[in-house]
Amino acid sequence: MKEQLAKIRAEALSALENARDSAALDELRVKYLGKKGELTAVLKQMGKLSAEERPAMGQLANEVRAAVEGALETATQKLEEAALSAKLKAETVDVTIPGRPIRLGRRHPMNAALEEIKEIFIGMGFTVLDGPEIELAELNFDRLNAEEGHPSRDWSDTFYFDEDSRVMLRSQTSPMQVRAMDTMELPIRIIAPGRVYRKDEVDATHSPMFHQVEGMVIDKNVTMADLKGTLNLLAEQLFGAGTVTRFRPHHFPFTEPSCEMDVQCHKCGGAGCPTCKGEGWIELLGAGMIHPHVLEMAGIDPDKWSGWAFGMGLERTAMRRFKIADLRLIFENDVRFLEQF
């Protein structure tokens, strides 16, 4: 048994010293130290020894086990250090090599237009409000004077969540005007930008998801002249001095009287083209004086207070601001298009 233990020790130490990877080390561990290993097999023969021989053989066996375990630990550490050294060598960075140039992003044309609009109105004393995109029909329609039966409430125009047509994706940011009237002290000057949703077919100037900026002023002695003056100032600030606009009579439940404001087509200069559908003008926004009934529903005395409101499509504003011919370019995320801005 003494010769067996000596042989196991010599063979194990030699094999461990020459092992080239962790898999080989694991095989050697099992071979010599495992439950069915060579050292364990020798130890099972201890029962055949006399009482005088057992202590000496037991001590020798423990010395062999300790030597093999120590060699195994040393070999494992040696392989780990070699692997780390190889990894560090492979991952060495030459700090003298010029770095890769960082490509800076650009502000999206629509966000650039929105920031300009915000700055213009903040400069005139307006507050910017934000609100939920999932809205109650009560705030999106009822409180805006669009009663049951109004075409805009039809399922063919609006995205509803329930069969009762009470919860919906907002079709305008106008509910924020209602929320402002309910929560803010008079006088009020606010704009409310955000995403809105309508069942429009996609074309050069329409999309089922788009962005809107709504504005509202409620104060004493507010007139239509204040509305037109503010919106003309907005157009000139956005599109440059001398921007040509026109106001057309229209009807909105929320306002009375109502109008639409157009700007001359940037593509054709008013001659007519596919972008403006041959009209020479692009509709920019709808506006008007706030209907007295809307004020009453908010608990505001229409004999004492008056106001105006408007709603504009942000994409169309960006199109006019940056001379973009097709609205779809704004959503396609083509880097070749976006890099122009």
Side-chain angles (χ1 to χ4, degrees):
M1 182 177 287
K2 185 176 181 180
E3 291 76 13
Q4 285 180 301
L5 290 172
K7 181 181 178 182
I8 289 172
R9 177 175 181 161
E11 290 180 352
L13 295 181
S14 176
L16 288 170
E17 186 175 355
N18 295 317
R20 292 291 177 265
D21 53 48
S22 58
L25 286 179
D26 194 55
E27 289 181 6
L28 292 173
R29 180 188 61 78
V30 173
K31 178 180 179 181
Y32 293 107
L33 302 176
K35 290 183 179 180
K36 297 180 180 180
E38 293 183 14
L39 183 59
T40 304
V42 172
L43 293 175
K44 288 181 179 180
Q45 300 175 23
M46 293 284 288
K48 299 177 181 179
L49 300 175
S50 64
E52 292 79 10
E53 294 176 314
R54 286 176 189 170
M57 288 299 102
Q59 182 179 354
L60 181 59
N62 287 334
E63 290 175 357
V64 171
R65 176 181 288 279
V68 173
E69 289 177 343
L72 177 62
E73 183 178 349
T74 300
T76 300
Q77 185 176 357
K78 182 180 177 181
L79 287 177
E80 289 176 349
E81 290 175 353
L84 177 60
S85 178
K87 182 179 180 182
L88 292 174
K89 185 177 180 180
E91 296 178 356
T92 299
V93 177
D94 185 351
V95 295
T96 65
I97 297 176
R100 295 176 181 176
I102 299 175
R103 294 184 63 189
L104 295 178
R106 288 172 169 80
R107 181 172 292 179
H108 194 281
M110 193 177 64
N111 287 337
L114 177 58
E115 289 303 315
E116 289 186 15
I117 292 169
K118 285 182 179 179
E119 296 236 352
I120 292 168
F121 279 102
I122 290 174
M124 292 189 287
F126 283 66
T127 300
V128 180
L129 300 184
D130 188 23
E133 294 177 20
I134 298 177
E135 189 57 272
L136 297 174
E138 177 189 357
L139 299 184
N140 196 88
F141 293 126
D142 297 341
R143 292 285 302 276
L144 297 172
N145 218 29
E147 300 177 347
E148 294 289 346
H150 192 277
S152 63
R153 302 185 68 140
D154 195 86
W155 278 75
S156 61
D157 287 338
T158 303
F159 295 100
Y160 290 102
F161 282 92
D162 60 341
E163 294 182 359
D164 296 330
S165 303
R166 303 313 301 170
V167 182
M168 57 180 289
L169 287 174
R170 65 182 180 185
S171 61
Q172 52 199 353
T173 56
S174 304
M176 288 309 300
Q177 299 179 19
V178 177
R179 294 175 183 272
M181 288 188 284
D182 286 346
T183 60
M184 297 178 69
E185 293 184 4
L186 297 170
I188 297 173
R189 289 176 177 81
I190 61 104
I191 60 168
R195 275 191 296 263
V196 298
Y197 307 85
R198 297 179 189 175
K199 292 184 179 179
D200 287 334
E201 295 296 327
V202 177
D203 61 24
T205 56
H206 293 84
S207 170
M209 186 283 294
F210 58 100
H211 295 74
Q212 216 177 40
V213 179
E214 303 240 354
M216 180 180 71
V217 169
I218 300 177
D219 206 336
K220 295 179 179 178
N221 303 316
V222 173
T223 68
M224 194 78 173
D226 299 313
L227 168 63
K228 293 183 67 176
T230 303
L231 296 182
N232 276 327
L233 176 61
L234 170 66
E236 291 208 347
Q237 290 284 328
L238 283 176
F239 309 129
T243 297
V244 181
T245 63
R246 71 175 183 184
F247 290 83
R248 295 179 287 108
H250 200 70
H251 169 71
F252 299 110
F254 182 67
T255 53
E256 179 60 37
S258 304
C259 65
E260 285 191 338
M261 184 177 112
D262 304 329
V263 291
Q264 196 171 75
C265 179
H266 58 275
K267 190 73 174 177
C268 63
C273 68
T275 299
C276 61
K277 299 180 179 178
E279 296 180 2
W281 298 87
I282 295 177
E283 176 191 330
L284 185 65
L285 57 85
M289 301 300 295
I290 299 175
H291 197 292
H293 183 51
V294 173
L295 295 175
E296 289 173 347
M297 285 190 285
I300 299 173
D301 185 356
D303 294 326
K304 184 178 179 182
W305 301 90
S306 58
W308 53 257
F310 73 89
M312 63 191 299
L314 186 57
E315 283 79 3
R316 293 187 184 182
T317 306
M319 289 173 68
R320 178 66 176 80
R321 172 68 178 81
F322 298 107
K323 297 179 171 56
I324 300 170
D326 194 317
L327 179 144
R328 288 166 289 195
L329 291 169
I330 293 176
F331 298 113
E332 289 175 350
N333 291 326
D334 189 325
V335 174
R336 295 169 300 177
F337 167 72
L338 295 176
E339 281 180 341
Q340 299 177 59
F341 305 97

